[in-house]
Amino acid sequence: MREFTFAIDYEKGVDPVMDVFLEHSTLSAHSLDAVVDEHAFWRMEHVTGPETALDRLEDIRFDDSCCGEAITEQRCAAERHHDVVERSTNELVLYSYLADIRQCESVHTLAGKHLPDGLIFETRRQEETCWWRVLMRSDEQIGIFYDELGARLHNGLSFRMGHLRDASEWRREQMAGLNLPEEQETALRTAVSAGYYDPPRETTLDELAVELSIPRSTLSYRLRQAESTLIHRYVDRNETTRWLE
């Protein structure tokens, strides 16, 4: 398998979806997409951010008159299907399926036209940038895809090349979720269930250590390690730019 990465930067007023990200710097989205063929694709998108931004993004996705896919001057006509899988005040999980795509030039349709069947995409959106990672069986036609993608972008969009290489490691943590060592996960789940992280705190490290039959110092170490992993994963906003290295 081969992996191709790139980024597209958006100026304000060019794309309705990206305008929401430009207006809300704390809004971020991660998606997995699959191309059925050049006329159809599906997406599962996970978005976190302010409730007002999520409301606006949901309205745009469900508005068939808004095109949030095209990257050239040619707007998209398609049969659109959207479903909200999960929604809270700061989180949105949205499923989208576009079929019978006509007169459209998006990353998905251009890739479906030039690259082999079975494509999978991972994207991240934040502020003015959408990062793309493409997993493909062969890069035989990647030159044509690259040339067409870079040369035909809509005014106000700019292209940044990442890399083309073997996909020996394809972001397993995003596909499988966050993994902690078993002893750290057990300690963390026990602490959460017992109310250790609730205000006011409902238990102590000593009580948890007795419940788990381990020394207090061992429990404290395991919780600190788990907390460090979770905090760094949440805070590290430079992770997306590593796609381009």
Side-chain angles (χ1 to χ4, degrees):
M1 301 295 286
R2 298 285 281 170
E3 175 184 273
F4 179 51
T5 66
F6 58 92
I8 298 176
D9 295 324
Y10 291 74
E11 294 180 6
K12 188 172 177 58
V14 176
D15 181 273
V17 170
M18 292 304 296
D19 278 350
V20 184
F21 289 87
L22 282 162
E23 293 164 7
H24 300 271
S25 61
T26 59
L27 185 68
S28 64
H30 169 240
S31 78
L32 286 177
D33 312 17
V35 169
V36 178
D37 54 38
E38 64 179 290
H39 304 293
F41 75 89
W42 60 260
R43 174 197 298 116
M44 187 68 78
E45 186 174 30
H46 176 220
V47 192
T48 59
E51 185 174 13
T52 54
L54 298 181
D55 289 341
R56 178 63 182 142
L57 189 60
E58 187 176 334
D59 288 343
I60 292 172
R61 287 299 194 198
F62 278 85
D63 184 353
D64 287 344
S65 67
C66 289
C67 178
E69 313 299 338
I71 57 170
T72 72
E73 300 287 347
Q74 183 67 57
R75 301 289 89 185
C76 291
E79 182 180 328
R80 293 175 169 86
H81 305 272
H82 302 286
D83 282 298
V84 174
V85 179
E86 186 175 340
R87 178 64 202 267
S88 66
T89 56
N90 63 350
E91 187 173 27
L92 169 67
V93 179
L94 183 66
Y95 169 80
S96 299
Y97 176 63
L98 272 67
D100 193 23
I101 299 173
R102 308 172 301 282
Q103 301 176 341
C104 179
E105 292 176 328
S106 67
V107 172
H108 299 95
T109 59
L110 292 176
K113 178 181 178 182
H114 296 297
L115 300 180
D117 294 340
L119 297 169
I120 296 178
F121 302 85
E122 184 181 3
T123 74
R124 282 193 180 275
R125 298 175 189 256
Q126 190 163 23
E127 296 184 303
E128 76 278 5
T129 304
C130 182
W131 290 269
W132 291 83
R133 178 187 296 259
V134 186
L135 185 69
M136 52 198 167
R137 294 185 291 111
S138 166
D139 61 11
E140 182 179 353
Q141 301 271 7
I142 196 67
I144 299 174
F145 172 65
Y146 170 81
D147 290 342
E148 191 165 6
L149 186 64
R152 302 182 65 182
L153 287 180
H154 192 287
N155 290 335
L157 276 63
S158 56
F159 178 85
R160 283 188 283 150
M161 173 68 176
H163 60 250
L164 175 64
R165 64 190 181 196
D166 288 339
S168 58
E169 183 176 340
W170 199 67
R171 297 188 60 81
R172 294 189 300 267
E173 75 278 7
Q174 296 296 345
M175 298 294 288
L178 176 63
N179 292 316
L180 294 172
E182 184 177 358
E183 65 274 10
Q184 292 180 24
E185 182 171 353
T186 299
L188 189 62
R189 288 185 179 277
T190 301
V192 171
S193 297
Y196 179 74
Y197 292 102
D198 295 337
R201 185 165 286 175
E202 298 178 6
T203 190
T204 66
L205 279 177
D206 291 313
E207 292 170 333
L208 289 173
V210 170
E211 181 178 347
L212 291 168
S213 300
I214 59 176
R216 183 185 189 279
S217 59
T218 300
L219 173 61
S220 178
Y221 174 78
R222 291 176 181 177
L223 289 177
R224 289 199 308 271
Q225 291 295 101
E227 291 162 2
S228 176
T229 299
L230 293 170
I231 290 168
H232 281 290
R233 178 68 59 84
Y234 182 80
V235 172
D236 187 5
R237 297 184 182 221
N238 292 325
E239 181 68 22
T240 52
T241 61
R242 293 176 191 165
W243 292 21
L244 303 179
E245 295 176 356

